[in-house]
Structure formats: structure tokens, C-alpha cells
Amino acid sequence: MRIRQILGLAVLIALIGGAGPAVADEDAPSADEAKARLKEAYELGADDAIVEAIEYGRGLNDPDVVALIADGMRVKNAAVVEASLKALGRSPHPDALEALHKVYKRVRKKRIDGYEHLFPVLLKSIGRHGDPSSVEILSDAIWFHPSFEAFLARIMGLGNIRTPEAVEALVKMSRQAGGRGVTGVRVSWREPLRVAFRSAMATLTGQDEGLVPDDWDRWWRDHKKDLVVSSARPKVPEGVSTQFEGYWGEPYYDP
């Protein structure tokens, strides 16, 4: 019952926070307009205006827009920083992911009062890119800034990177978090994180070994030498695709 409740909540999140209806081409934001709005907002210094300008430029494949959005992470306002992180996560330009990686390396060991809740947002934005270069970061030092949201972001982010290295990183993370001679994650986190782990592994491999980490560990030992991760997401059980769609707010299967 708890698993069904978790998955149902994921669907609700997707419905509430999804991308929404498509925007007509003539109303699509332009890079020049986005740059003008961002520069004006920064000069004005109003946090609400900066957030609005960042959201206007979100998703544009323009290096100047990306650089201006990244400047939002220097503003001493949590809402602006969050908007910047989320926008960089949705930008297709490679400079956006590079900026996110730099932020991670800067804050991974630091305690930043008032901004702790943004660490999972940073991890999720990195994972949204699905880039192989992020495997090391998403599997790095999982006990820095530990929270349920951070563990979930690491698991789902790795599940969005379609390489054997991501599968290996997930297995190793499961061993660390599962208590094989180490502390392990909180008991209350284990069931929903196992649901996420199953979804991530099934999304990458097309297999379904269920919710028991040891079963996946055994599967990995038997298949790691010849594992090939396809570029396309495989057909998976409905619960897996629901978990993916609820977390990322986008369809699991290509339309």
C-alpha cells in the first residue's frame, strides 16, 4: 500500500508541476529579449524581477543567456538561486551543465545556512541533463548533505544517464546506503528509495529484479561484463514509468 501511495504522489506532482501546454512559436521567448530582461533585472536588483527574467529565458540554447542565468546563483536570495538552478537544469546548452558541475564542486563539503534545501535541487538539475560526465558527481560522497531528497536526486539522476557506468554507480550506492558494514540510510527512507532504485535500474537495463537490493546486486555480478545500455528507454512495468514521469515531469516513452 505504501508503494502505491508513493507512486500516486509522484503522479500528482507530475500533474501539478509539469511543463504545461505547448507555447505557440510566435510567443516563444527570444535570446535577445531574454538577455535584455536579465540585464535589466540585475541592474534593478529586485529579486522577483530576476526570478521572472530567469524563467523567461529558461530552455534557450544560447550561451549568453545561460551565463546570465548562472549569475543568479551569486544573488543572496534563495528563490533566485533556486530559479537559476532549475533553469540551468532545463537548458540544452553544454555551458549550463558545466555551471552546475562547478557549483557542486564548490558547495559539496560546505554548510550553507538557509540554502540546505537547494542541494537536492542542484543534484536534480544535474541529473536532468542525463550526461555521462555527471556520473562521478551524482555518485560522489553520498553522505555529504544527506537527506531523503538528495538521495532520491542521486538515484533518479543516475537512472537518467544511459551508460553502464551509471548502472555500476547505482549498485555501489545501494551497497553504501544499505548498511553493509556502514550506517546506512534512515529506516523511514528505505522503502521509497528502494522504489526509486528499482525504477532507475529498470530504466537503464530493461530488467526488473524488484525491490530487494541484493537481487539487483546478484544480477549485476552476473551481467556487468556484457551489459549494454541502449540509447532508448526500454519497455518497463507501469510502476517504473510512473516513478520516472512523476519525478521528472515528462513522459517516459517518446511520443
Side-chain angles (χ1 to χ4, degrees):
M1 175 62 72
R2 290 182 61 192
I3 293 176
R4 288 197 293 271
Q5 291 174 338
I6 293 165
L7 296 178
L9 178 60
V11 173
L12 180 60
I13 292 171
L15 291 173
I16 294 174
V23 178
D25 289 343
E26 60 269 21
D27 295 328
S30 71
D32 288 342
E33 177 67 16
K35 285 183 279 189
R37 291 191 183 196
L38 283 160
K39 290 177 181 178
E40 182 180 0
Y42 286 129
E43 290 174 2
L44 182 64
D47 296 330
D48 290 347
I50 297 172
V51 169
E52 184 177 343
I54 288 173
E55 291 178 348
Y56 178 84
R58 183 176 68 183
L60 288 174
N61 191 12
D62 183 279
D64 294 331
V65 173
V66 169
L68 285 165
I69 289 174
D71 286 343
M73 292 185 291
R74 299 191 182 98
V75 177
K76 293 183 178 180
N77 178 276
V80 173
V81 174
E82 183 172 4
S84 180
L85 292 173
K86 289 181 176 179
L88 292 173
R90 292 184 178 275
S91 170
H93 199 279
D95 288 356
L97 181 59
E98 182 180 352
L100 291 169
H101 282 184
K102 287 180 180 178
V103 171
Y104 178 85
K105 292 172 183 177
R106 189 167 70 242
V107 304
R108 64 191 284 269
K109 292 184 179 180
K110 294 181 179 179
R111 176 179 177 82
I112 307 176
D113 291 335
Y115 289 81
E116 295 88 347
H117 66 291
L118 295 182
F119 191 70
V121 177
L122 169 61
L123 293 172
K124 184 172 183 177
S125 294
I126 290 172
R128 187 180 290 280
H129 281 266
D131 193 278
S133 66
S134 301
V135 170
E136 183 178 357
I137 282 178
L138 292 174
S139 58
D140 166 62
I142 65 173
W143 301 111
F144 288 147
H145 306 279
S147 67
F148 172 79
E149 292 78 11
F151 279 114
L152 182 63
R154 290 184 185 277
I155 292 170
M156 296 300 290
L158 287 169
N160 199 37
I161 300 174
R162 306 202 59 76
T163 66
E165 291 76 17
V167 179
E168 182 177 16
L170 279 165
V171 173
K172 289 181 178 179
M173 185 186 300
S174 175
R175 292 171 182 170
Q176 286 181 275
R180 291 188 171 196
V182 297
T183 303
V185 301
R186 293 182 185 178
V187 173
S188 61
W189 298 352
R190 290 182 183 176
E191 185 176 326
L193 290 180
R194 285 178 178 178
V195 173
F197 177 74
R198 174 220 182 190
S199 294
M201 291 290 287
T203 296
L204 293 178
T205 67
Q207 304 297 314
D208 185 13
E209 298 299 312
L211 298 177
V212 180
D214 284 346
D215 291 342
W216 280 107
D217 200 284
R218 190 178 305 110
W219 180 90
W220 168 248
R221 291 196 302 271
D222 292 341
H223 295 87
K224 62 182 178 180
K225 291 183 179 180
D226 57 0
L227 176 64
V228 175
V229 177
S230 66
S231 58
R233 299 185 194 115
K235 185 176 181 180
V236 292
E238 183 178 356
V240 171
S241 59
T242 299
Q243 173 85 8
F244 179 96
E245 293 176 353
Y247 188 75
W248 296 114
E250 62 183 59
Y252 176 86
Y253 297 105
D254 293 333

